[in-house]
Amino acid sequence: MPFDKKDILDIASLSVEDIQLILDTAESMREISERPIKKVPALRGKTVVLFFYEPSTRTRLSFDLAAKRLSADSVAISADMSSLVKGETLLDTARNIEAMRPDVVVLRHAYSGAPQFLAGRLKASVINAGDGTHAHPSQALLDMLTVRRKKGTLQGLKIAIVGDIAHSRVARSNCVGFTKMGAQVVMAGPPTMIPKGIETLGATVAPSIEDAMSDADVIMMLRIQKERLKKFSMSTEREYARHFGLNRQRVALARQDVVIMHPGPINRGVEIAPDVADGPHSIILDQVTNGVAVRMALLYLVLGGGRHADTD
Ligand code: CP
């Protein structure tokens, strides 16, 4: 079945078949990054603009690498180095970018809905690289690929997502994605960080972190988004680690073959102990590796991959 989406804005607008196609395409893209010459001509002549209004290491770099490994030309612009600082609006900036005829605009923005706003106004494909607290679809897709590779399936797994759910676009996209693919998502965290109505996305809220971890196949820890909180001190961090941090004792509550995930960046010693982050259950760096493959798949598919592109 061909992929017919112009834009990738969230997981909710992808069908189960779309997600399967993206994961299968990403699986075939993985091998390109293992070659001595990490480049195929699939997107030769295409232009990808990376437009990041918020800081990023993993997402920005992996979209850039993904474009380059498929032979597209990529160019990055960040808010502080653009004419936004001179008062230009997002729409005017985007119209000016479009006047230069890019094929894809990858956008990260602090406002939920900003990628959707542009997608309805630009001919270029828009890929959401994280918007406010709304969605981070490429992160959820790379997380699903990483779990599928480790467990063989997503169906029937218990996924515990723990931490600052309220501010987390990763939690929302993963909740929608994993439940869509037949997993059970359980969330836990400080009551002030669990938004009302989160169950409408398909998750259940556990009464305690220990309940969430019990028999979990996957534990996904989230960092506290200090930049979105008014007050968060060192002593609060210590308290947080004691009550909600992932340590070896809590990992022992989960299944023996549990895998530990984190979208990054990690606050070591706060939401996750260093020996757990670097321990035998951790697949945090696999997530990063798979991020390049998933973003290659997304660029390839929105640009008509499979119909006329060449990945040999
Ligand atoms: N997971 C994630 O979005 O990381 P970055 O903020 O570094 O892109």
Side-chain angles (χ1 to χ4, degrees):
M1 197 185 60
F3 190 78
D4 61 358
K5 303 277 184 300
K6 168 185 165 278
D7 310 296
I8 306 287
L9 301 177
D10 53 32
I11 296 293
S13 54
L14 298 175
S15 67
V16 169
E17 292 74 26
D18 290 333
I19 294 172
Q20 269 160 352
L21 178 63
I22 293 166
L23 301 190
D24 292 345
T25 306
E27 193 64 59
S28 65
M29 294 291 180
R30 270 181 53 94
E31 175 269 327
I32 296 167
S33 296
E34 303 304 326
R35 296 181 189 178
I37 310 282
K38 300 173 179 59
K39 213 174 190 52
V40 294
L43 299 184
R44 194 169 40 203
K46 302 291 185 185
T47 309
V48 177
V49 173
L50 309 171
F51 200 5
F52 278 65
Y53 276 68
E54 285 188 323
S56 170
T57 298
R58 282 148 287 268
T59 312
R60 179 170 155 170
L61 188 54
S62 59
F63 266 115
D64 201 1
L65 287 173
K68 287 180 165 72
R69 288 183 187 173
L70 293 173
S71 299
D73 296 307
S74 61
V75 57
I77 181 166
S78 54
D80 58 341
M81 297 299 284
S82 75
S83 287
L84 286 162
V85 292
K86 302 178 205 162
E88 191 168 53
T89 65
L90 172 63
L91 182 57
D92 280 333
T93 305
R95 281 188 175 138
N96 279 270
I97 290 173
E98 176 133 291
M100 299 179 222
R101 304 287 182 262
D103 298 287
V104 182
V105 175
V106 178
L107 177 69
R108 171 168 287 191
H109 202 283
Y111 291 147
S112 299
Q116 188 155 19
F117 175 78
L118 287 194
R121 289 161 178 82
L122 299 185
K123 287 193 192 74
S125 290
V126 175
I127 300 181
N128 181 2
D131 62 328
T133 57
H134 169 232
H136 195 345
S138 62
Q139 178 71 44
L141 290 160
L142 74 87
D143 290 338
M144 286 188 269
L145 178 66
T146 306
V147 173
R148 195 179 77 166
R149 288 182 62 78
K150 288 289 170 191
K151 301 287 181 187
T153 181
L154 303 180
Q155 192 80 36
L157 298 179
K158 176 176 174 180
I159 318 280
I161 304 182
V162 178
D164 181 4
I165 310 287
H167 297 105
S168 178
R169 52 198 177 207
V170 174
R172 284 176 181 74
S173 285
N174 267 314
C175 182
V176 175
F178 277 106
T179 54
K180 200 173 261 206
M181 301 309 283
Q184 176 207 356
V185 174
V186 180
M187 294 184 169
T192 52
M193 292 181 178
I194 304 283
K196 277 198 174 61
I198 193 73
E199 294 90 344
T200 58
L201 297 182
T204 55
V205 177
S208 69
I209 181 170
E210 286 76 16
D211 279 290
M213 310 242 149
S214 170
D215 287 330
D217 298 286
V218 176
I219 299 172
M220 185 182 296
M221 298 306 293
L222 302 173
R223 82 184 167 92
I224 305 156
Q225 302 207 11
K226 287 184 247 179
E227 70 275 25
R228 301 187 211 272
L229 290 174
K230 287 196 177 65
K231 257 176 65 177
F232 207 79
S233 63
M234 280 295 284
S235 60
T236 329
E237 285 188 359
R238 277 197 297 274
E239 277 291 285
Y240 187 92
R242 195 151 65 85
H243 293 293
F244 298 101
L246 188 61
N247 52 32
R248 274 189 285 172
Q249 292 72 33
R250 290 189 171 126
V251 172
L253 299 170
R255 289 175 62 92
Q256 271 193 339
D257 60 350
V258 67
V259 290
I260 311 289
M261 305 177 77
H262 193 305
I266 290 173
N267 292 137
R268 286 172 180 269
V270 184
E271 73 272 10
I272 188 164
D275 62 342
V276 174
D278 302 328
H281 296 280
S282 174
I283 55 168
I284 293 170
L285 293 179
D286 297 86
Q287 292 173 263
V288 180
T289 301
N290 290 328
V292 178
V294 159
R295 286 152 183 149
M296 288 170 81
L298 291 176
L299 293 173
Y300 179 72
L301 289 169
V302 295
L303 290 172
R307 292 201 290 275
H308 54 70
D310 175 10
T311 59
D312 290 336

